[in-house]
Amino acid sequence: MTALARSRQELEAARLLAEGDFGAQAISRAYYAAFYAAEQALASLGESRSKHSGVISAFGRHVVREGGLDEGIGRILRSLFEQRNDVDYGEADASREDAELTIRDAQRFVDAVESWLPG
């Protein structure tokens, strides 16, 4: 399974979780959808990182600044990472509406990366 296929699978899982009122879990899956797409973008440039923060940083440098992808897309990835940390490790609660907004952002990110990728 390609990283983009995994991204699409994570988005679908996030939607199902949101529909079941599992907002925090949906936000986590939405982040992973974006994360796998970011990894695919980096891999297309011969880059990889072992930590989430490294993927986010390298994505900003290689794909956004050097690769010409819109800066707003890079901000989405960082925001999704922060939201995932809040619900997974913090005290943040997440409503269905919160989850749906996050899923929308993740979908926008994955679509932008897919359009950016060569071929």
Side-chain angles (χ1 to χ4, degrees), residues 2 4 16-17 24-26 34 37 46 48 54 57 82 94 97 101 104 112 115:
T2 68
L4 274 178
L16 292 170
L17 287 163
Q25 294 84 353
S48 69
S57 178
E82 290 167 1
E97 294 76 26
L101 289 170
R104 227 171 287 137
S115 294

Side-chain angles (χ1 to χ4, degrees), residues 27-28 31-32 80-89:
I27 287 171
S28 185
Y31 162 70
Y32 276 100
L80 291 170
F81 177 68
E82 290 167 1
Q83 290 175 64
R84 196 267 321 205
N85 281 342
D86 288 347
V87 297
D88 281 359
Y89 305 114

Side-chain angles (χ1 to χ4, degrees), residues 4-50:
L4 274 178
R6 179 103 188 253
S7 291
R8 299 278 178 214
Q9 189 177 54
E10 294 292 346
L11 282 168
E12 185 57 30
R15 286 186 188 97
L16 292 170
L17 287 163
E19 288 169 13
D21 289 324
F22 294 98
Q25 294 84 353
I27 287 171
S28 185
R29 291 299 93 199
Y31 162 70
Y32 276 100
F35 175 77
Y36 294 130
E39 283 192 318
Q40 179 71 44
L42 290 172
S44 77
L45 298 171
E47 297 284 337
S48 69
R49 298 293 185 276
S50 60

